Amino acid sequence: MEYVRIGHITKPFGLDGTFKVFGMTDFPKQRYKKDNVLSLLNERTGERIDVTVERASFVGNEYHVKFKEITRVEDAENYRNFYIEIDKENAPTPKGFTRYQDMKGCKVVDEDDVFLGTVKDIKETGVTNIVVEKEDGTTFYVPFVKKVFVLDINIETKTVKIKVIPGLL
């Protein structure tokens, strides 16, 4: 089973096991819909537990999410800093959207199709940046701004075409 990351638990919220979650999806209402089965992952240990959404509310990039299986703040404390994921098959993306994780490993080329490196990661640092690793192991960042810096993303061919400006590389 392949998972898509949709949130990061920051801490419990209230006494009933509700979590304060940093959102990592553009579609929170679909992903955190009542009765959706999600997975909590401890990235350090690999521990994973399936949970069912009881309710969720959204304020900007912060969510308050309650799972049926977790009913007390004491239990919720055990899941601080876990990631929330959903089975990729249950999380389709609308046309025109690309999952960040699908871009990892894509080759990065300039407007003339000259190979520049490979997408190593996507970082949220106030602005979203594509981290590109060059063949020599060094990295550079490309602001994730479509039609300005990111000209085309083709997941089938695993290619990201970018506009190179002075100082970018």
Side-chain angles (χ1 to χ4, degrees):
M1 187 178 308
E2 190 175 350
Y3 292 94
V4 176
R5 193 161 285 175
I6 62 172
H8 180 254
I9 296 173
T10 57
K11 62 183 181 178
F13 180 78
L15 300 176
D16 67 349
T18 298
F19 293 104
K20 192 176 271 195
V21 174
F22 174 75
M24 301 168 74
T25 178
D26 288 333
F27 313 103
K29 290 186 175 150
Q30 291 95 334
R31 305 301 187 237
Y32 293 98
K33 189 167 47 172
K34 182 176 172 51
D35 295 324
N36 271 5
V37 175
L38 304 177
S39 184
L40 305 183
L41 172 69
N42 181 330
E43 200 169 56
R44 286 183 296 109
T45 67
E47 176 187 359
R48 183 181 294 279
I49 178 176
D50 287 340
V51 291
T52 309
V53 177
E54 184 173 311
R55 67 175 184 274
S57 60
F58 313 103
V59 180
N61 243 14
E62 183 179 284
Y63 312 153
H64 297 157
V65 182
K66 171 77 174 81
F67 299 110
K68 293 179 180 179
E69 296 81 0
I70 301 166
T71 58
R72 302 173 329 136
V73 66
E74 295 83 6
D75 298 330
E77 278 293 341
N78 296 325
Y79 300 100
R80 189 184 287 258
N81 291 317
F82 275 52
Y83 286 99
I84 302 173
E85 298 182 334
I86 188 169
D87 181 347
K88 189 173 183 177
E89 288 185 19
N90 296 330
T93 53
K95 187 176 170 111
F97 285 84
T98 304
R99 283 193 185 92
Y100 290 165
Q101 71 187 51
D102 291 342
M103 291 175 57
K104 290 181 182 178
C106 286
K107 65 182 178 180
V108 178
V109 298
D110 67 11
E111 295 167 289
D112 297 321
D113 291 324
V114 174
F115 177 76
L116 302 172
T118 305
V119 176
K120 181 177 178 182
D121 203 359
I122 308 294
K123 294 283 184 192
E124 299 276 348
T125 56
V127 72
T128 303
N129 286 295
I130 302 170
V131 181
V132 180
E133 184 173 34
K134 296 196 248 182
E135 288 183 293
D136 66 4
T138 61
T139 58
F140 66 93
Y141 292 80
V142 179
F144 196 105
V145 182
K146 288 186 175 181
K147 307 299 180 210
V148 176
F149 291 102
V150 180
L151 303 176
D152 185 52
I153 301 169
N154 188 323
I155 297 303
E156 281 96 41
T157 63
K158 301 287 283 175
T159 305
V160 177
K161 185 175 283 198
I162 66 168
K163 179 179 179 76
V164 178
I165 62 168
L168 183 70
L169 304 178

